[in-house]
Amino acid sequence: MRNLISPARVLFIGACLICCRPETEFEIPRPDCTAFGAQKISLENLKDIYQGNTMRIRDQLQWEGYIVSTDKTSNIFGEIYIQEKPADPGGGIVVYTDLLESHSLFPVGSRVAINLEGLYFGKSGGSYELGGAFPLFGTVTVGRLPASLVRKHLKVLCSEPVSPGATKVEIDSLSEQMLNTLVHIQQVEFVAAEVGRPFAESGQQTRRSLMDCRGNTLDVRNSGYSDFHSDSIPGGHGSAVGVLTSYRNQFELVIRSPEDLRLFDVRCEERFVKKSSDRILISEIADPDNIPEARFIELFNASDSLFALHGWEIRRFTNANTEVGSSVSLDDVQILAGGTFVLSAYPDVFEATYGFPPDLIVPRNGPADSNGDDSMELVDPFGNVVDSFGIPGTDGSGTAHEFEDGKALRRDTIVLASPEFRPSEWIIFNDSGGYGTLKQPQEAPQDFTPGIHPN
């Protein structure tokens, strides 16, 4: 005989299942202009409340800040990082919660208010923390705030979201004040042994190490459940953006996605290797007729890879002098494949004229400040002249390399440097003409193309 379930019993069981289902979905909070109506407190005053042990805040207080983290890629889970101001924040706090998909409720850049009354407040490794109570060996520490209580303690304010600024800093200049805020770590790369490995082992929290060229290191904490955990660690040098946290009193970085990493330059060990190339050449020299301070000199990398010019220099021979009149070191210069690099002696005038800053500011009366009758040499680390414009010892006035009140522009078809000046490789404009040059003074900005080659 079959066991039959009556319709009434089906309704009863269904009702019980609905009642027992955990609350995992929430209505997205609407922006609130009034917040909680409690007394506002600054981050500095909030920190003063802490007396050395985790405590429950019982006063009616609220603190406001800006969201800088996201769990969208699942690399951050159960942690909402909030800094006091969108830029130059002066500090931040982490809120622990078991709320899922918090990024949909609290997008990056949102200004939020926190109702502090009833929250537990503590400090660990220099990091200030808010959340629920978590018993540990007879004491209470800060744990995750239940999702059902999030709306009671966090509200998005009606201010327009902003793009939070990251504090630019190098590894050896990090400080506790930057904890729980967005930082932009300069001049770093992943250690060589980790390049090509996954960001994290599947299902495991994994730490990888960034290093600067002086040997300082900073761990990067990655989740084995993140969307990008199986992606390969990039091998270049550059910068990394993320939230600064701490673990066992050591700083560590948490990135929000691989886009937070800008590691496209050559690595430390390659940055200081001296090497030559016939694919680095002078591509434009400018002496505008209307704005002399808008002069510049431009280099071009005709190769298919980034090139670091460690040990290189540009020399200027003034008028008919056979001795070097001035030179500019290119030690810290790197040029992307197919890219340009622009030097100027008057950066403010240059930017006002062309709409962007020069790549390198150099002294006046040097290679980037020629009045049109000088010669230039591009020299590699071994003292070899790689490329040249004009003939040292010959005044350019009335010659094939005069560009007074005009410009010298390398032809688009030239991709190899030449240690000897070849007028046929150039289009030269000036105020006198002759010797294959064009009598056509040039005016800035319209007649010049700094940063663009081929033209």
Side-chain angles (χ1 to χ4, degrees):
M1 181 181 296
R2 290 183 302 170
N3 292 321
L4 300 177
I5 301 178
S6 69
R9 185 169 295 181
V10 170
L11 290 175
F12 175 77
I13 294 173
C16 288
L17 290 173
I18 293 174
C19 294
C20 297
R21 186 178 60 192
E23 186 180 6
T24 58
E25 298 179 0
F26 300 95
E27 178 183 348
I28 296 178
R30 295 180 179 179
D32 190 317
C33 295
T34 60
F36 297 98
Q39 178 184 343
K40 292 183 181 179
I41 187 172
S42 69
L43 180 60
E44 196 61 36
N45 289 337
L46 177 57
K47 291 178 180 178
D48 290 340
I49 293 176
Y50 181 72
Q51 298 298 315
N53 295 304
T54 299
M55 58 177 290
R56 189 178 189 186
I57 300 176
R58 302 187 182 278
D59 296 325
Q60 294 182 351
L61 300 170
Q62 71 179 37
W63 176 71
E64 297 175 6
Y66 292 81
I67 302 290
V68 295
S69 63
T70 175
D71 61 0
K72 191 172 184 178
T73 63
S74 300
N75 198 46
I76 298 175
F77 173 75
E79 302 163 358
I80 301 175
Y81 291 92
I82 307 169
Q83 62 186 39
E84 188 163 40
K85 294 182 291 185
D88 300 320
I93 285 180
V94 57
V95 177
Y96 294 120
T97 174
D98 60 11
L99 177 68
L100 302 176
E101 304 293 329
S102 65
H103 69 273
S104 62
L105 307 181
F106 307 106
V108 171
S110 299
R111 182 164 168 255
V112 296
I114 301 179
N115 174 18
L116 297 170
E117 185 180 10
L119 292 181
Y120 284 81
F121 182 43
K123 184 180 181 182
S124 175
S127 168
Y128 287 91
E129 308 165 331
L130 289 169
F134 180 72
L136 181 67
F137 302 117
T139 62
V140 175
T141 61
V142 178
R144 291 178 179 171
L145 183 70
S148 59
L149 297 179
V150 168
R151 287 179 294 178
K152 179 181 177 182
H153 289 282
L154 269 76
K155 282 187 179 180
V156 175
L157 299 177
C158 57
S159 305
E160 286 294 322
V162 298
S163 179
T167 303
K168 288 187 176 181
V169 64
E170 295 189 7
I171 291 178
D172 57 359
S173 297
L174 293 170
S175 67
E176 279 193 6
Q177 189 178 26
M178 300 175 188
L179 285 170
N180 305 322
T181 71
L182 209 57
V183 292
H184 190 172
I185 310 294
Q186 308 288 295
Q187 304 296 320
V188 291
E189 61 192 44
F190 283 98
V191 298
E194 294 177 350
V195 172
R197 299 182 66 186
F199 275 91
E201 302 302 326
S202 182
Q204 300 179 30
Q205 184 170 272
T206 307
R207 287 174 171 81
R208 303 299 189 198
S209 293
L210 287 171
M211 182 177 66
D212 63 20
C213 291
R214 297 183 296 275
N216 300 304
T217 60
L218 173 68
D219 280 349
V220 179
R221 169 164 57 95
N222 301 309
S223 170
Y225 297 98
S226 72
D227 296 346
F228 58 88
H229 76 272
S230 61
D231 292 356
S232 298
I233 293 286
H237 183 94
S239 64
V241 173
V243 178
L244 185 67
T245 66
S246 67
Y247 176 71
R248 295 181 178 176
N249 295 314
Q250 298 291 324
F251 293 130
E252 62 181 19
L253 191 71
V254 183
I255 63 173
R256 298 162 299 179
S257 74
E259 285 69 38
D260 279 336
L261 301 172
R262 308 289 294 177
L263 305 175
F264 305 125
D265 292 346
V266 295
R267 292 179 62 83
C268 292
E269 62 268 23
E270 300 172 7
R271 290 166 68 89
F272 306 108
V273 173
K274 293 182 177 181
K275 52 188 177 181
S276 188
S277 171
D278 61 1
R279 294 303 184 100
I280 308 298
L281 51 148
I282 302 169
S283 49
E284 188 172 357
I285 313 174
D287 178 37
D289 184 34
N290 58 330
I291 312 175
E293 294 81 4
R295 295 167 176 163
F296 64 85
I297 186 168
E298 175 192 84
L299 303 179
F300 174 61
N301 178 4
S303 75
D304 58 3
S305 61
L306 182 147
F307 193 87
L309 279 72
H310 181 61
W312 288 57
E313 64 177 349
I314 305 176
R315 297 172 179 170
R316 170 182 167 176
F317 295 83
T318 305
N319 301 329
N321 287 299
T322 57
E323 299 294 327
V324 176
S326 59
S327 63
V328 169
S329 170
L330 301 175
D331 259 349
D332 296 324
V333 173
Q334 299 179 75
I335 310 179
L336 294 172
T340 60
F341 194 91
V342 182
L343 300 83
S344 166
Y346 303 89
D348 294 338
V349 178
F350 182 95
E351 185 168 3
T353 303
Y354 301 110
F356 63 94
D359 297 305
L360 183 66
I361 302 169
V362 295
R364 299 177 183 181
N365 299 314
D369 191 21
S370 172
N371 62 358
D373 55 6
D374 307 312
S375 300
M376 310 290 174
E377 289 182 342
L378 181 61
V379 182
D380 72 11
F382 312 105
N384 302 312
V385 177
V386 172
D387 197 32
S388 64
F389 175 83
I391 302 172
T394 302
D395 190 305
S397 300
T399 72
H401 71 268
E402 179 187 352
F403 61 97
E404 183 175 351
D405 295 333
K407 68 182 177 185
L409 185 66
R410 205 66 171 265
R411 293 185 183 274
D412 294 352
T413 54
I414 305 303
V415 294
L416 289 176
S418 173
E420 295 181 0
F421 175 57
R422 297 174 179 170
S424 62
E425 295 186 354
W426 298 82
I427 306 172
I428 299 177
F429 302 78
N430 55 38
D431 59 2
S432 58
Y435 300 93
T437 66
L438 300 174
K439 185 180 180 180
Q440 188 177 330
Q442 304 286 285
E443 294 197 349
Q446 63 269 23
D447 293 330
F448 297 88
T449 55
I452 302 174
H453 189 83
N455 299 280

